Amino acid sequence: MTVRINPRLTEISISGIRQFSNQLVNYPDAINLTIGQPDFPTPDEVKEGAIRAINENKTGYTHNAGLIDLRHTVNEFFTNKYGFSYDPESEIIITNGASQAIDIIFRTILEEGDEVILPAPIYTGYVPIIKLLGATPVFLDTTDTGFQPSAERLASLITDKTKAVLFNFPSNPTGVAIEQAQMDELAEVLATHDVFTISDEIYSENTFFRKHCSFGAYPELREKLFLVHGLSKSHSMTGWRIGFLMADKEWMQHCIKIQQYNAICASVPSQYAAIEALTTCQDTPAEMNKAYIERRNYVYRRLLDMGLEVTEPTGAFYIFPSIEKFGMTSFEFATRLLKEAGVAAVPGSAFTQYGEGYLRISYAYSMEHLEEGLNRMEKFIASL
C-alpha cells in the first residue's frame, strides 16, 4: 500500500497573490503593490491591552467561543453601529482571523456535491476550501455590471444543489461596495430560497463616503445567515489574528465543535487587545480611511491618465484596472511588469477566471511608495 495525501490538495496551488509577493525576494528593488496589509501601526491602546493581559498572566485557554467580555463587546459594537444583534452566549465565536471563520462555516455546512455561489472576481481564499470539502464553486459574473452582483443573475444560478451564497463586500479585489438598492434586491432573492447566506464583511469599516450596508440588517435573512468580521483591516491588526463569526445559535452549536477541535480558542492576549480596539479605538478606521481616500484618488487618477479603464473603488484599499487592451494574459502582464519595471501587482486571474484581463493594485501603502510604483508602471505601459 502506498501512502498519499488528500488528492484534492494536489489540485490546489498557492494563491496568485502570494505567488507574486513571494517572488519579491528575487527583486529586492521592486515596488510591492500586492498585499492588503495596512501600513499603519496597530493603535497604542490595542497594544497596551495585550501587554497588560500578558503581564497579568491572562495567557491560558478561554472558552472555545472566546472571552465572554469580548463577545459582549462585539455584540454591542455591531448593535450600536449597524443595528443587528447576536447573543454573546451562543451566537458569537471569536476566531483566529476572518479566514478561520470562513473555514469553520464551510466545514460546518458543506457536503459532497454541494454548490456555493460566489460573485466573481472574488478573493482567492474561498474556492480552495470549497473544493477540499468536495463541493463546487459556481461563479456569478459581475464584470459587466460594474462589479455589482445582479439579483436576477443570482436567482438564475440557484439550484437544488446550492447550499450557500457567499458575498465579500467591500470587495477584494475590486474595491467595490454593494449599493443599498442592489443589496435590497439580493436579499429579496435570498429570502425566497432555502440556502445559507455567508457575508464576509472584513472591510466593513473601510467603506468610503457612506456607512457600510450589511446583510445583517435584513431580519428575513437572519435564520440562515453567517456574518464574518474581524480587526485585521480596520485596526491594522493582520498579525493579531482576531475574527468574529456570528450566526443563529442553531448553526453555532455545530460551528463551535469545529473551533474546539481545530484551534481550541483564539489567541488570548489578542482577545484582550480586541476589546480595546472595539471600545477605545472606534475612531481608528475613520482616520485610516482619510489616507485611503487620498491614495485611492491619486491611484485612480494616475491609472486613468495611463489610458486604463478602471472602476472607482468605494471601499477596501484595492483597485482593479483592465489591462485587456495590451493583448496579454494578466499573468504575463504582471510578470513583465515585475521583471521589466520592478513593480509587483497581482494578476486578475488569481481571482478566478472572471478576473482575467485585470490587475489588482493595493494602495495600502504610503503615497511615496505609490508614486514611485505608478511612475514605473507608466513608463512600462508607454513602452508596450
Side-chain angles (χ1 to χ4, degrees):
M1 178 179 175
T2 302
V3 296
R4 65 174 187 171
I5 65 170
N6 183 343
R8 289 177 182 148
L9 192 58
T10 64
E11 300 173 2
I12 293 172
S13 60
I14 299 297
S15 77
I17 301 172
R18 291 294 175 176
Q19 286 182 35
F20 271 80
S21 65
N22 290 346
Q23 288 187 57
L24 289 170
V25 67
N26 300 317
Y27 299 90
D29 297 323
I31 298 295
N32 183 12
L33 302 177
T34 63
I35 299 296
Q37 166 68 57
D39 66 331
F40 300 95
T42 301
D44 288 340
E45 296 90 339
V46 173
K47 291 185 282 190
E48 288 299 324
I51 292 169
R52 191 162 53 249
I54 293 169
N55 287 337
E56 294 175 1
N57 295 315
K58 295 177 178 178
T59 55
Y61 294 129
T62 67
H63 188 288
N64 297 130
L67 291 167
I68 188 61
D69 286 349
L70 175 54
R71 284 181 274 150
H72 275 284
T73 300
V74 168
N75 180 56
E76 289 168 8
F77 177 83
F78 289 107
T79 299
N80 293 337
K81 188 157 189 180
Y82 297 113
F84 57 79
S85 179
Y86 284 87
D87 182 358
E89 296 282 351
S90 59
E91 297 183 324
I92 299 174
I93 297 176
I94 309 303
T95 61
N96 289 290
S99 295
Q100 193 209 1
I102 292 293
D103 181 66
I104 289 173
I105 295 167
F106 282 148
R107 291 170 68 187
T108 299
I109 69 172
L110 291 184
E111 302 172 81
E112 189 91 20
D114 283 344
E115 294 180 349
V116 180
I117 298 174
L118 309 100
I122 197 165
Y123 172 60
T124 59
Y126 309 122
V127 170
I129 307 174
I130 293 169
K131 289 184 175 180
L132 276 173
L133 293 167
T136 301
V138 175
F139 299 113
L140 191 167
D141 184 7
T142 67
T143 58
D144 59 351
T145 55
F147 300 123
Q148 297 273 340
S150 159
E152 181 179 0
R153 193 168 290 173
L154 170 62
S156 72
L157 293 175
I158 295 175
T159 71
D160 58 1
K161 292 184 178 180
T162 304
K163 179 61 72 70
V165 182
L166 185 147
F167 299 94
N168 170 223
F169 290 93
S171 163
N172 176 6
T174 68
V176 168
I178 300 182
E179 299 291 340
Q180 181 71 64
Q182 191 72 18
M183 186 173 279
D184 289 346
E185 293 180 6
L186 291 166
E188 185 176 352
V189 171
L190 293 165
T192 59
H193 290 84
D194 188 22
V195 298
F196 288 109
T197 301
I198 305 168
S199 188
D200 182 353
E201 302 182 13
I202 189 65
Y203 294 99
S204 66
E205 305 311 294
N206 302 115
T207 301
F208 311 144
F209 304 123
R210 58 174 174 77
K211 189 170 77 170
H212 168 69
C213 299
S214 174
F215 280 102
Y218 293 86
E220 64 269 31
L221 300 182
R222 192 190 190 285
E223 288 186 359
K224 290 175 287 187
L225 174 68
F226 289 95
L227 276 175
V228 176
H229 285 269
L231 299 175
S232 290
K233 313 301 182 178
S234 62
H235 288 77
S236 194
M237 292 176 65
T238 55
W240 296 76
R241 309 313 303 137
I242 288 292
F244 313 132
L245 171 57
M246 292 170 275
D248 188 272
K249 61 184 178 182
E250 180 177 354
W251 319 120
M252 292 295 263
Q253 65 177 317
H254 302 294
C255 289
I256 197 66
K257 301 173 192 175
I258 304 295
Q259 168 80 338
Q260 176 190 350
Y261 293 117
N262 183 346
I264 299 179
C265 65
S267 163
V268 177
S270 294
Q271 290 191 56
Y272 282 102
I275 293 174
E276 297 299 322
L278 292 175
T279 54
T280 62
C281 298
Q282 289 194 30
D283 294 333
T284 294
E287 291 302 312
M288 293 166 60
N289 286 344
K290 292 177 183 178
Y292 291 142
I293 291 171
E294 180 184 5
R295 297 170 188 181
R296 187 279 311 271
N297 291 344
Y298 174 76
V299 174
Y300 178 64
R301 184 177 68 252
R302 287 294 303 274
L303 293 175
L304 289 176
D305 289 344
M306 293 178 205
L308 300 181
E309 295 182 10
V310 59
T311 298
E312 183 179 25
T314 51
F317 31 68
Y318 309 106
I319 194 164
F320 207 55
S322 171
I323 45 88
E324 186 175 12
K325 70 177 185 179
F326 298 109
M328 289 181 264
T329 67
S330 58
F331 191 90
E332 291 170 336
F333 185 94
T335 299
R336 287 188 59 183
L337 182 64
L338 177 59
K339 292 182 176 180
E340 298 175 26
V343 178
V346 183
S349 57
F351 306 97
T352 77
Q353 66 267 33
Y354 293 96
E356 183 56 81
Y358 295 88
L359 189 74
R360 193 195 77 169
I361 295 171
S362 169
Y363 52 88
Y365 297 93
S366 69
M367 284 295 293
E368 181 182 12
H369 194 84
L370 293 170
E371 288 171 7
E372 177 61 24
L374 291 169
N375 287 342
R376 294 184 186 187
M377 184 174 173
E378 185 173 35
K379 292 179 181 178
F380 170 74
I381 287 176
S383 71
L384 296 177

